[in-house]
Amino acid sequence: MNIEQRKACIEQKLESIGETVTSWSKKNSLDHRLVIDLIDGKFQGTRGITLKARMKIEEFFGNVFD
């Protein structure tokens, strides 16, 4: 899944539940800038805090990073 497909998938799911990336991030105790950077592909999410954030994103949105 490329970045544009990832953004569209996440945006669609958030829209269906009436959330934004920022509000979803806060509800899941994540920094919204980190979540946005992961979605945009600036971080890979392979270690530390980024890995935990990626795991929460994948838990909710499905496998969007492949």
Side-chain angles (χ1 to χ4, degrees):
M1 180 177 291
N2 67 33
I3 294 170
E4 295 305 317
Q5 292 171 327
R6 181 183 312 141
K7 285 181 180 181
C9 177
I10 290 172
E11 197 173 290
Q12 181 182 16
K13 185 146 185 182
L14 286 173
E15 202 173 280
S16 70
I17 60 171
E19 294 277 345
T20 64
V21 172
T22 303
S23 65
W24 182 85
S25 299
K26 286 182 183 180
K27 284 184 178 179
N28 287 281
S29 304
L30 299 171
D31 184 336
H32 72 278
R33 293 170 298 204
L34 177 64
V35 172
I36 291 170
D37 286 345
L38 279 165
I39 293 168
D40 288 341
K42 293 179 183 174
F43 293 130
Q44 298 300 313
T46 55
R47 293 187 288 169
I49 294 171
T50 59
L51 176 60
K52 290 178 184 178
R54 179 181 172 155
M55 290 170 62
K56 278 195 177 187
I57 292 169
E58 287 185 328
E59 182 181 311
F60 187 78
F61 297 103
N63 195 9
V64 294
F65 291 104
D66 282 338

